[in-house]
Each structure stands twice: as C-alpha cells, then as structure tokens.
Amino acid sequence: MKRQGQMNDTTQKTTHFGFSEVAESDKAGMVHGVFTNVASKYDIMNDVMSVGVHRLWKDAMMDWLAPRNGQKLLDVAGGTGDVAFRFLSRAPAASATVLDMTESMLVEGRKRAEAEALSHRLDWVVGDAMALPFPDNSFDRYTISFGIRNVTRIPDALKEAFRVLKPGGRLIVLEFSQLPNAGLQKLYDLYSFNVIPRMGQVIANDRDSYQYLVESIRKFPDQETFAAMIRDAGFENVKYRNLSLGIAALHSGWKI
Ligand SMILES: C[S@@+](CC[C@H](N)C(=O)[O-])C[C@H]1O[C@@H](n2cnc3c(N)ncnc32)[C@H](O)[C@@H]1O
C-alpha cells in the first residue's frame, strides 16, 4: 500500500470533533482513531444503521456520475471501497484509486476487492484529502462519500479536489445533510442520538465512535452553504440533489 508522508499540521487553531472543540492539529488523529476502531464492523454497521439505504444513496451517486470506460476515478476517504466498486462495475474498462487516511479501512476494502476479482483495476493509497499525493490534472472524476465532514479543513480538501481533476473533470460529494423541515429534523435527531450510539455499543462494542458519527453529521453545513464552499474552490455548474428528504445530499461540480 502506498503511503503519504506527514499529514498537514496546524497548531493554535481549534475546530469541532463532533460537538467537542479540539485543537485543529488533534482532529485528524481522533478521526483516525474512530475509523481504526470501526473498520472491521464498518460495512455491517452501515447496513444496520441506515437499514440498507446507504446502498441506494451510493447507487444514486453513480446514476448522477454516469461512469464511462477509460475514466480514472479518485475516491477520497474511500474507506472499504464501496464507491469505487460501484464505479468499476458500471464501467468495466475504467480504473479507480481509493485514498483514505485510515489504513485499516483500506485493508478491509482490499479484502473485498480480492474477493470480487477487482484488484487489478484498483489502487489503494494511504493519504490525506487535504494534501493529495497526486500531480495536478490527474483524474477524470473525484468522489468523496461520507468522508468530507470528517476532514479538518474542508476548503483545503475541495481545493485539492479541484487541483487533481483534469479540466472537464467532475466532483461528486455524498454526505449527510440537513432536513428542510424542523419537525422532521427533530424526529431524525431522536433516532440518531438515541439509537445509533446504542447500536454501535451492541454491534461494534464502541459507543463513543458512533456518538462522534452522529454529532459530526449535525455539525455539517446545510446544502446551500456547502454548495457555496464548492464554488469557492473553483468549481462551476454546482448543483445538489437531496436524498431521502435531505437526510443526505449529493453535490456536483465541474472543473471547466
Ligand atoms: C464514514 S467513512 C466513509 C467510507 C466510504 N467512503 C463510504 O462511503 O462508505 C469516512 C472515511 O473518511 C476517512 N477520512 C477522514 N478524514 C480523512 C482525510 N482527511 N483524508 C482521507 N481520509 C479521511 C476515514 O478514515 C474513513 O475511512
């Protein structure tokens, strides 16, 4: 597995880790800890927590992305490879690189790739979304699914996405988002905060990691605010689509 050098490190400034305020320089290590803890149970927990709906959201991401043969995908925060596998299955002559800062997530993904005989079309890279170890203009498509809310400085990750995409390249982000209706948001919060950490305790014996996951979902900007951040990174024709009423959303932008 390829390995990137040092992660970016900034002292002094603070940021959020779920609902806690932490030093910016500490956040990546804490996020790494969460995903190292959950890696072996990550896929099953995803299915249980979302009652399988994350699969439909990832399929919707592929519908909008419309993979084509010959394209090179970079899937950042790609974890166990869900998005890359879908991309490759829709375009049998495409290739994908999965980058993640948590090696144990990639290890789970590599096992799945071997089982599905996809290894020869996939590259697995340990690295940081905020400092991608790739030259400018390298990829046709950039995806990040349920990853960007964990990144310490989201604008830096978006700038890196813009840099490594070829002109004419496209970014698609799948992330939890905000429900447009306060009543529904309240119901959803009740489910998230009461059920998910308990499920984490029972299935993965790890309540704290799942408490962080639900808190980080609540801290992520709403659809319009995030679309503006994507535009600020240089992307054009930025649009979004809500999924399941806005529990999640897809954002798309082009490097023209
Ligand atoms: C919730 S998982 C998503 C995995 C996969 N994309 C999916 O949709 O199932 C979030 C992933 O983001 C990764 N991650 C968080 N911050 C990162 C960063 N700065 N650079 C690269 N990966 C990061 C974590 O290691 C973790 O594997």
Side-chain angles (χ1 to χ4, degrees), residues 31 35 42 46 58 77-78 100-102 105 127-129 145-146 150:
V31 170
F35 288 102
Y42 178 79
N46 256 357
K58 287 170 180 161
D100 200 287
M101 72 174 187
T102 309
M105 292 288 280
D128 184 353
S145 154
F146 302 118
N150 299 294

Side-chain angles (χ1 to χ4, degrees), residues 3-4 16 22-23 26 34 46 71 82-83 117 131 138 160 167 194 203 206-207 209 214 226 233 235 252:
R3 189 180 285 280
Q4 187 194 344
H16 50 83
V22 299
D26 290 344
V34 166
N46 256 357
Q71 287 179 337
D82 252 10
V83 167
S138 309
E160 278 292 87
N194 292 301
I203 298 172
D206 182 358
R207 188 189 180 100
S209 294
V214 291
F226 187 52
F235 288 95
S252 161

Side-chain angles (χ1 to χ4, degrees), residues 7 28 31-32 35-36 42-43 46 54 58 75-83 99-103 105-106 127-130 144-152 157 174 176 213:
M7 303 253 170
V31 170
H32 181 269
F35 288 102
T36 301
Y42 178 79
D43 290 320
N46 256 357
H54 77 103
K58 287 170 180 161
D75 183 39
V76 171
T80 58
D82 252 10
V83 167
L99 175 136
D100 200 287
M101 72 174 187
T102 309
E103 187 164 6
M105 292 288 280
L106 296 178
D128 184 353
M130 297 184 294
I144 182 162
S145 154
F146 302 118
I148 198 128
R149 75 176 188 283
N150 299 294
V151 171
T152 307
L174 170 58
F176 289 105
L213 290 182

Side-chain angles (χ1 to χ4, degrees), residues 113-163:
E114 276 156 27
E116 294 177 32
L118 282 171
S119 300
H120 59 295
R121 295 164 60 204
L122 274 164
D123 226 356
W124 303 88
V125 179
V126 179
D128 184 353
M130 297 184 294
L132 295 173
F134 308 111
D136 299 355
N137 309 323
S138 309
F139 295 95
D140 302 290
R141 299 290 180 260
Y142 173 110
T143 48
I144 182 162
S145 154
F146 302 118
I148 198 128
R149 75 176 188 283
N150 299 294
V151 171
T152 307
R153 292 182 301 281
I154 294 172
D156 289 5
L158 293 172
K159 272 188 216 137
E160 278 292 87
F162 191 82
R163 182 183 68 75

